Amino acid sequence: MSLPLQVGLVGWRGMVGSVLMQRMSTERDFDAIETTFFSTSAAGKAAPKIDGCTVFEPILKDGNNITALKAMDVIITCQGGDYTKAIYKPLRESGWKGHWIDASKILRMQDDSIIILDPINMPVIQKALAKGVTNWIGGNCTVSCMLMGVGALYKAGLVEWMQTSTYQAASGGGAPNMRELLTQYGALYGEVADLLADPASAILEIDRKVAAKQHAFTPAETENFRGIPLGGNLIPWIDADRGDGTSLEEWKGGAETNKIMGLGAMFGTPEIPIDSTCVRIGSMRCHAQSLTFKLTKDVPLADIELMIANDNEWVSFVPNEREKTEKNLTAMNVAGTMNIPVGRVRKLAMGPQYLGAFTIGDQLLWGAAEPLRRMLRILQES
Ligand code: NAP
């Protein structure tokens, strides 16, 4: 492929897009490409100023303009699923043969798309490149973070099945969801600030006033989590209702993990059964999950620990001890870093083939932005 690539960036100011811009700037990805910024809401205005990025075109182009998009060798979009639904098909129908790198779920399960997570599935990516695939889709954030942590067990064929319960941050919903959560926390605090300042005040009175405020939030104050306040609360349902007792987020856990690992009908192999219960919690950033595995055989715990620890340069193994766990396996500790700690690893009471683990990752980094920028590098080097 001739260099430099013409790269169009769409959705760069949202939650995922902003983190992508930071990472591309840090890794000097802009040095070797000619960048054009697109917007669906501010075409014609000045392109953003990003450290290390000399823009090829100083004015924001219209993200809905197929002719402008067609001039790109590569389009990276973090704009969201509605954008992909509206633009991808007409763009391809116009004859565009470039590489489409996308953070949204819309194209993930298409046969002509690969879910990208190169530290885990580089062989799948390389095979697809050789076959001429041009759709590279970032995986579901929870799935990508989980595989960055415990992918070693999948690579070694040790997983008979896996069940996960997730703890997913507000930022998983996007920039407006984070703002909504913080605004709610502020309103809840405001409701009881005077009582908190008085050490003699009754805790049940504080609790009652907080609960009353949660119930009194208006539709405008709760619109980003479908009318349910997340501040001081949790919501055990994420994404669409599939009508069979599972949410779309839960379905992705199984479907995407298998596709990333090159398993399932598309690859002519059986799938590994994976099931999840996905829960939104009031943390700002990072998705955590509690994992239960049935292993294909009884493997000594020390061997499992070593396999996990040595799988990739970002995973860090946390010994299953209270202080190390409290210090290392928290959202606060991981937010904004590429670190993927895995801990609470132990054999479970059900038998020697049953394994428990807990992992957490910044879903905006490994769960979203990082695989996209790394795919751009892979294309440059191919
Ligand atoms: P987002 O923060 O809502 O941003 C998406 C786009 O919305 C922006 O690029 C911007 O586009 C527009 N926008 C509207 N109001 C905005 C505001 N107040 N602040 C910033 N941008 C605003 O969504 P996102 O979380 O980045 O998600 C983008 C895609 O990545 C989605 O398909 C999502 O499913 C996927 N994804 C998200 C995560 C995550 O953890 N959030 C993880 C993995 C994948 P214009 O500039 O064109 O107006």
Side-chain angles (χ1 to χ4, degrees):
M1 191 173 282
S2 60
L3 294 175
L5 292 172
Q6 300 285 328
V7 179
L9 294 170
V10 198
W12 43 269
R13 78 175 176 118
M15 215 46 256
V16 174
S18 308
V19 172
L20 178 66
M21 294 306 97
Q22 275 176 355
R23 285 293 299 144
M24 288 182 71
S25 172
T26 303
E27 298 293 335
R28 303 202 64 86
D29 292 337
F30 292 111
D31 290 0
I33 58 174
E34 287 187 346
T35 311
T36 302
F37 287 93
F38 289 81
S39 171
T40 61
S41 55
K45 294 198 175 147
K49 289 191 178 21
I50 291 170
D51 279 353
C53 173
T54 313
V55 283
F56 187 62
E57 168 63 75
I59 299 299
L60 286 174
K61 293 229 171 166
D62 180 359
N64 295 311
N65 182 329
I66 299 290
T67 310
L69 292 166
K70 263 183 87 171
M72 301 294 115
D73 298 313
V74 179
I75 292 169
I76 305 182
T77 170
C78 307
Q79 168 60 38
D82 289 344
Y83 178 77
T84 300
K85 269 190 213 155
I87 294 298
Y88 172 79
K89 201 161 171 264
L91 181 61
R92 286 291 187 212
E93 282 171 357
S94 77
W96 184 67
K97 302 256 185 308
H99 290 273
W100 176 267
I101 303 178
D102 193 341
S104 87
K105 66 188 170 201
I106 301 303
L107 305 177
R108 274 183 206 145
M109 298 310 290
Q110 280 194 185
D111 284 355
D112 60 358
S113 297
I114 291 297
I115 305 181
I116 46 176
L117 190 63
D118 65 277
I120 302 299
N121 72 345
M122 193 59 179
V124 175
I125 293 172
Q126 272 166 340
K127 242 189 228 170
L129 264 175
K131 276 175 50 193
V133 169
T134 51
N135 296 325
W136 310 103
I137 319 298
N140 169 262
C141 40
T142 319
V143 171
S144 296
C145 288
M146 178 275 292
L147 280 175
M148 285 300 293
V150 298
L153 302 180
Y154 284 91
K155 288 179 191 170
L158 277 177
V159 182
E160 184 173 321
W161 54 251
M162 186 189 83
Q163 198 279 337
T164 162
S165 297
T166 72
Y167 307 80
Q168 300 182 221
S171 52
N177 301 59
M178 263 177 122
R179 288 170 175 269
E180 182 173 289
L181 175 68
L182 278 179
T183 306
Q184 288 171 3
Y185 276 141
L188 295 175
Y189 173 75
E191 204 64 11
V192 293
D194 53 342
L195 290 172
L196 284 173
D198 173 8
S201 63
I203 192 64
L204 285 183
E205 178 61 2
I206 292 174
D207 186 42
R208 190 193 62 74
K209 288 190 87 167
V210 167
K213 180 65 185 169
Q214 285 176 317
H215 285 282
F217 279 128
T218 65
E221 290 170 307
T222 54
E223 68 175 323
N224 290 294
F225 286 108
R226 298 168 42 83
I228 310 298
L230 187 63
N233 197 13
L234 59 80
I235 308 172
W237 197 285
I238 298 177
D239 212 332
D241 185 341
R242 300 183 68 243
D244 63 356
T246 65
S247 69
L248 191 55
E249 186 80 354
E250 289 157 359
W251 173 82
K252 289 176 202 164
E256 292 191 21
T257 301
N258 278 290
K259 184 166 177 182
I260 290 171
M261 297 314 301
L263 299 170
M266 195 178 150
F267 303 92
T269 54
E271 288 201 348
I272 295 174
I274 294 168
D275 217 325
S276 325
T277 301
C278 292
V279 183
R280 184 78 68 194
I281 59 162
S283 60
M284 289 292 282
R285 198 161 157 167
C286 294
H287 291 349
Q289 47 204 309
S290 171
L291 309 167
T292 301
F293 294 95
K294 182 167 187 212
L295 302 176
T296 50
K297 58 183 181 193
D298 177 11
V299 179
L301 196 56
D303 293 2
I304 289 171
E305 292 177 358
L306 268 182
M307 285 170 68
I308 291 173
N310 294 330
D311 186 56
N312 62 64
E313 65 186 271
W314 299 276
V315 74
S316 64
F317 186 80
V318 180
N320 189 16
E321 299 162 17
R322 180 174 182 173
E323 277 179 21
K324 288 182 175 139
T325 299
E326 288 175 346
K327 189 161 169 259
N328 297 300
L329 267 177
T330 63
M332 201 181 87
N333 186 52
V334 171
T337 77
M338 303 286 290
N339 182 22
I340 304 275
V342 182
R344 303 309 323 270
V345 175
R346 65 194 178 93
K347 294 289 181 87
L348 300 177
M350 291 77 105
Q353 277 176 258
Y354 294 86
L355 184 80
F358 191 93
T359 185
I360 185 163
D362 187 323
Q363 92 287 355
L364 292 163
L365 285 163
W366 275 119
E370 194 62 10
L372 307 187
R373 63 158 288 277
R374 289 172 67 89
M375 190 63 219
L376 179 61
R377 288 279 183 168
I378 293 168
L379 291 177
Q380 284 174 304
E381 285 154 18
S382 68

